Amino acid sequence: MNSTVLRPSSTAPRRCLALLAKHRNLSARTFDPKQIKADQDYCVDLVQKRDREGYLCGLLMPAHARTSYFAVRAYNVELASVKDASEQRRASGETGSSLGLRMRMQWWRDALGQLYDDAPATLDSPSPQGFLAHSAEACWHNPVVRALYIAIEEKDLTRRFLERLLDAREVDLDIQQMASVEDSKQYAEDTWSSLMYLSLECTGVRDDDADTVASHAGIGTGLTMSLRSTIHRAAYGEMAIPADLFPRPVPSNYMMRRMDPEYPVDSENQEIMKNAAQHMAYEASQELS
């Protein structure tokens, strides 16, 4: 019987554990056990409400990995909620991402810096750096930040994956439609595959072959989730399927109009959408096969 040969992935990470250990520099903090338990419960509840599939997957994780896993998924939910706010602004007629949404992303970027001890300024400094230190210190009042800190401390989570997830979510704030399938794949790699790499680390798995599988699975899952979100995103004037799959532009409100039984069938647009969706589904299946 032939053994399965894993297809190489150009986006899958190649780990250097010695380098990771060398540059890991966590803040030295301790929390009350009751506070830790409350933070963990908060993360589970948040994921259960906002990321149902992630919650169900978490129930199947090994017991020793479960709390760290839910901290990572709660972090992802928090980042994704910023995009939700951006979509609501667009639906109300506003364009672009507001300064407030950018500041929320920067808040999480500063929080990551705190988790990995990037803030050299002292709290009593009168300089702008001192003000930023005060602001960054406030992140420790957030239960997801505290839970993520415990997860990083226990599982030595790779900072690059957490940052890549944040970077991709921030860039996506202004994107109404991906330009190409390759762009959609890269976004899926930066988000879904990063979540899978971190999930592997929660279980103690750090292996190139496992990362290759996680890369393909993440991209396939990301493309599938984009397809699933077509109606939802159309409600906010967005198109979930990349532009290069359409021979000509399809109005972003087409999907919403066709939900109206009184709206006449537009057979040309319907065929274009059908072909584009099938192509994207094929790309997802190739990654998942």
Side-chain angles (χ1 to χ4, degrees), residues 265-285:
V265 175
D266 184 341
S267 57
E268 185 177 0
N269 278 334
Q270 185 174 14
E271 187 66 18
I272 290 175
M273 284 294 301
K274 176 183 175 181
N275 292 337
Q278 286 179 338
H279 191 147
M280 196 163 181
Y282 170 78
E283 293 288 344
S285 69

Side-chain angles (χ1 to χ4, degrees), residues 29-44:
R29 289 179 182 266
T30 57
F31 299 105
D32 181 85
K34 291 183 179 179
Q35 182 68 70
I36 294 175
K37 179 64 166 61
D39 293 341
Q40 293 170 345
D41 290 345
Y42 177 90
C43 289
V44 172

Side-chain angles (χ1 to χ4, degrees), residues 46-59 69-70 73 77 228:
L46 179 64
V47 174
Q48 183 179 16
K49 291 177 179 177
R50 300 290 302 278
D51 179 10
R52 186 65 178 174
E53 289 85 357
Y55 171 73
L56 295 175
C57 289
L59 299 180
Y69 168 86
F70 279 116
R73 298 297 294 220
V77 168
R228 284 182 57 185

Side-chain angles (χ1 to χ4, degrees), residues 29 40 45 55-56 76-77 79 86-87 89-90 95 104-105 107 121 143 160 176 194 212 219 221 225 232-233 244 289:
R29 289 179 182 266
Q40 293 170 345
D45 185 59
Y55 171 73
L56 295 175
N76 179 62
V77 168
L79 297 182
S86 177
E87 291 174 338
R89 290 181 70 255
R90 194 171 293 124
T95 58
R104 286 179 63 184
M105 284 298 190
W107 187 93
R160 177 163 59 97
Q176 293 181 267
S194 291
T212 297
I219 294 172
T221 301
M225 294 299 289
H232 170 78
R233 294 187 64 178
D244 68 343
S289 62

Side-chain angles (χ1 to χ4, degrees), residues 138-190:
C139 75
W140 294 104
H141 297 296
N142 185 293
V144 175
V145 171
R146 292 192 298 262
L148 190 59
Y149 170 80
I150 298 298
I152 294 170
E153 185 178 60
E154 292 182 350
K155 302 300 182 180
D156 196 14
L157 300 181
T158 302
R159 177 176 183 169
R160 177 163 59 97
F161 299 147
L162 295 168
E163 289 181 330
R164 194 164 67 156
L165 183 58
L166 190 155
D167 290 341
R169 294 290 191 189
E170 183 171 16
V171 170
D172 190 47
L173 289 178
D174 290 326
I175 295 178
Q176 293 181 267
Q177 183 181 24
M178 292 290 181
S180 67
V181 173
E182 289 306 311
D183 288 341
S184 294
K185 287 183 176 181
Q186 186 59 56
Y187 179 74
E189 163 67 27
D190 291 342

Side-chain angles (χ1 to χ4, degrees), residues 78-238:
E78 291 282 11
L79 297 182
S81 70
V82 182
K83 172 70 172 180
D84 293 340
S86 177
E87 291 174 338
Q88 292 165 9
R89 290 181 70 255
R90 194 171 293 124
S92 66
E94 299 180 61
T95 58
S97 59
S98 73
L99 177 60
L101 299 182
R102 294 290 179 187
M103 288 180 66
R104 286 179 63 184
M105 284 298 190
Q106 185 59 47
W107 187 93
W108 280 104
R109 195 175 302 281
D110 293 341
L112 279 184
Q114 282 284 301
L115 292 175
Y116 288 93
D117 199 18
D118 274 355
T122 59
L123 293 176
D124 57 356
S125 171
S127 65
Q129 290 76 16
F131 172 79
L132 292 175
H134 273 287
S135 178
E137 185 71 15
C139 75
W140 294 104
H141 297 296
N142 185 293
V144 175
V145 171
R146 292 192 298 262
L148 190 59
Y149 170 80
I150 298 298
I152 294 170
E153 185 178 60
E154 292 182 350
K155 302 300 182 180
D156 196 14
L157 300 181
T158 302
R159 177 176 183 169
R160 177 163 59 97
F161 299 147
L162 295 168
E163 289 181 330
R164 194 164 67 156
L165 183 58
L166 190 155
D167 290 341
R169 294 290 191 189
E170 183 171 16
V171 170
D172 190 47
L173 289 178
D174 290 326
I175 295 178
Q176 293 181 267
Q177 183 181 24
M178 292 290 181
S180 67
V181 173
E182 289 306 311
D183 288 341
S184 294
K185 287 183 176 181
Q186 186 59 56
Y187 179 74
E189 163 67 27
D190 291 342
T191 53
W192 288 95
S193 296
S194 291
L195 283 173
M196 293 195 177
Y197 302 144
L198 290 164
S199 298
L200 286 173
E201 292 185 345
C202 288
T203 64
V205 175
R206 297 173 184 270
D207 177 80
D208 284 346
D209 288 340
D211 287 342
T212 297
V213 173
S215 177
H216 290 297
I219 294 172
T221 301
L223 295 180
T224 302
M225 294 299 289
S226 289
L227 274 177
R228 284 182 57 185
S229 69
T230 300
I231 298 296
H232 170 78
R233 294 187 64 178
Y236 297 104
E238 298 183 357

